[in-house]
Amino acid sequence: MDADWDDLKTVLALVRHGTLAAAGADLGVSYTTVARRVQRAEQALGEKLFERLADGYRPTDTARLVADYAHRMESEQTTLLRKIQGRDRRLSGKLVITAPQLLIGPYLAPVLDQFTRIHPAVDLQIRATNDLLDLNRREADLAIRIHDSPGDALIGVRLCAQQRASFASTEAAKRIERDPAAPIPWLVFADRPEIPKAAQDRCPNGRVRMVFDDMAALLGAAQAGLGVVRIPFFLGRSTPWLVQVPFLPPEPYPDVWAVAYDDIWRSAKVAAFRTLLVPHFRARRQDFVA
Amino acid sequence: MDADWDDLKTVLALVRHGTLAAAGADLGVSYTTVARRVQRAEQALGEKLFERLADGYRPTDTARLVADYAHRMESEQTTLLRKIQGRDRRLSGKLVITAPQLLIGPYLAPVLDQFTRIHPAVDLQIRATNDLLDLNRREADLAIRIHDSPGDALIGVRLCAQQRASFASTEAAKRIERDPAAPIPWLVFADRPEIPKAAQDRCPNGRVRMVFDDMAALLGAAQAGLGVVRIPFFLGRSTPWLVQVPFLPPEPYPDVWAVAYDDIWRSAKVAAFRTLLVPHFRARRQDFVA
DNA sequence: GCAAAGACACGCGTTTTCGCGCGAACCCGC
DNA sequence: GCGGGTTCGCGCGAAAACGCGTGTCTTTGC
């Protein structure tokens, strides 16, 4: 009664995904191999781990127990890999940065350009996403996030404080200035589909004209003059044909952070990147507030 | 940068043993395989893990780090295996009992006999040793130990309290009774090579005649009439040709315990064994004290 | 009621891994 | 200085693991 560690890993993947094919894809092997390894694990442990059903493998209680401990082993492994990576003093190899899509173009690109010139041996990869990538699973080494705090077990530095304000196309902004009493058509983002309170106080005639679930589309609509959007200063200022609607008040917005796991934060590549990143944002901090 | 779990296991074994051959023997594979897996692990991690020396592999700091975390993964695995084994409700398969060598013959044998008759499907294995086997590494399921407390993370039950006293061959005992003032020749065990204080008070003329490092040899010498030994009651009473030297006082001695890991303690096979073991010792508890 | 899709079982050919044997380098004791 | 023992490196044949293709069953949607 002793099991191959990779077989335990396979059981974990199968419990997670439910089907041989999905587990195999996760592990990077064919589903046939998953089936064989599970069979071997069942034999080694002397316990039935799955019920073979037409729509997938259903884990038994024992399999859940195995998966639980395999998950702990996996955690140990990822921590190990982080520590090794953090001890890496070489300025070569892969470095994965993740950042909000719309921050990359106007603000991160110069840093990236400079970094690759100084450290050509580093294989720099950018993951542009608004989702929070799981740094623990090493989906990225360093994350630039717009959040109130660095979060869980992460270490980080605040790159700059932020505010947001109302922006609209030049013509739309002029129209509002000419007739402040007219109803303002708001374009809002899906996660908070209401009109900001401070703006509503100033202009009670506001109404939500459309709701978007994509920031780029929202900006496009604003550029086309469809209405007023409430976005961070950096975004409004770096988007062509948008101007701030002056008398609508700015309001607080989460700050910009650079965060990473403690070990990786101190690694050579991340440290080198930070020496460029932090001054760059600090020099432009006035772009992010009123 | 992602490593096979079995490769990490191999690095752990190699750090532990220092040479390819020893690590291979531990893992049950050839040393060639160990060398190959280590090479693969180094490539996967992008770090040098060992310095190849003429007399073995010397681990780098990174390898020690890997071994540290692989050790944690191993701990998770052994805990898992214990839990699975503990959930096993079947009265079949392997059951490993360890007990002090000299307790087995006179006291454990009847229990073993009875158990194998009632549960013939259980593959009962006895490990007779005075060393403490590592229950955590699953070297044994249930241990019968002579100790003051069950110890670390173990659960257990006290089978009986114990005392020890002085025993000698019939003739030697008579000789002492006839002439209490004559010098008593003691045969003592190597871990405590001194004459017990209480006995020395009664018979100040005692002297250490020989020191033994093996209990069976010590008993043999006592049986041959070479001197007086200080042993637990059960041992003196179950050894032929030995009698208690009456006026030398008994003294305390560690109790007899049955101990196991919590999970395994409740497993079906261990529980079944306990239902025979405990009453057996309880019924004979007077054999262990004056 | 029937077609399409998803999921598993099984068998076959291929790739990878493993163990063995030989030779070289080194340490140790004499 | 010189054998004996131990350890590692390398190449080859055997064995195990792997991926792919096919067939069967079940579910789902029309």
Side-chain angles (χ1 to χ4, degrees), chain A residues 168-178 185 222 225-228 243 245:
Chain A
S169 68
T170 317
E171 294 164 24
K174 277 182 188 160
R175 223 178 303 139
I176 294 169
E177 275 190 278
R178 275 197 302 270
L226 270 64
V228 182
V243 297
V245 182

Side-chain angles (χ1 to χ4, degrees), chain B residues 72-241:
Chain B
R72 298 187 198 201
M73 293 171 73
E74 189 189 41
S75 299
E76 297 294 349
Q77 189 218 17
T78 56
T79 306
L80 166 64
L81 294 179
R82 274 214 320 273
K83 286 220 186 279
I84 290 177
Q85 200 179 345
R87 290 158 43 103
D88 188 1
R89 304 255 57 90
R90 290 169 294 195
L91 283 165
S92 59
K94 205 167 78 170
L95 174 64
V96 184
I97 311 280
T98 178
Q101 287 164 344
L102 295 167
L103 188 66
I104 293 175
Y107 285 92
L108 210 55
V111 178
L112 303 176
D113 177 47
Q114 202 181 350
F115 185 82
T116 53
R117 287 175 197 279
I118 300 175
H119 306 292
V122 175
D123 171 21
L124 187 60
Q125 301 191 1
I126 314 298
R127 303 197 59 173
T129 170
N130 290 317
D131 305 331
L132 295 183
L133 289 181
D134 194 342
L135 295 185
N136 185 35
R137 290 191 185 166
R138 299 174 46 256
E139 292 175 330
D141 300 317
L142 180 70
I144 294 169
R145 289 179 172 171
I146 294 178
H147 254 206
D148 289 320
S149 68
D152 39 313
L154 300 172
I155 192 172
V157 63
R158 193 203 323 264
L159 293 175
C160 44
Q162 271 204 117
Q163 290 179 310
R164 69 171 173 180
S166 306
F167 285 81
S169 67
T170 317
E171 293 162 25
K174 278 182 187 161
R175 224 178 302 140
I176 294 169
E177 274 191 277
R178 274 198 302 268
D179 183 9
I184 295 180
W186 288 97
L187 308 178
V188 300
F189 200 68
D191 62 347
R192 285 267 187 108
E194 74 261 13
I195 301 173
K197 191 173 172 304
Q200 192 69 323
D201 292 345
R202 281 287 180 97
C203 298
N205 292 328
R207 65 189 172 84
V208 173
R209 188 174 180 196
M210 292 180 206
V211 178
F212 288 81
D213 73 341
D214 181 84
M215 187 59 84
L218 179 71
L219 289 179
Q223 288 175 307
L226 270 64
V228 182
V229 291
R230 198 82 178 160
I231 52 178
F233 271 105
F234 85 88
L235 193 54
R237 284 167 174 159
S238 63
T239 306
W241 304 308

Side-chain angles (χ1 to χ4, degrees), chain B residues 30 32-33 36-37 40 54:
Chain B
S30 123
T32 315
T33 303
R36 273 190 286 245
R37 288 197 189 156
R40 201 167 50 189

Side-chain angles (χ1 to χ4, degrees), chain A residues 1 3 8 40-47 49 66, chain B residues 81 84 90:
Chain A
M1 163 143 168
L8 299 180
R40 203 167 50 189
E42 286 184 332
Q43 200 165 356
L45 297 175
E47 295 270 341
L49 293 176
V66 172
Chain B
L81 294 179
I84 290 177
R90 290 169 294 195

Side-chain angles (χ1 to χ4, degrees), chain A residues 28-33 36-37 40 54-55:
Chain A
V29 298
S30 116
Y31 74 98
T32 315
T33 303
R36 272 190 289 246
R37 288 193 189 161
R40 203 167 50 189
D55 62 337

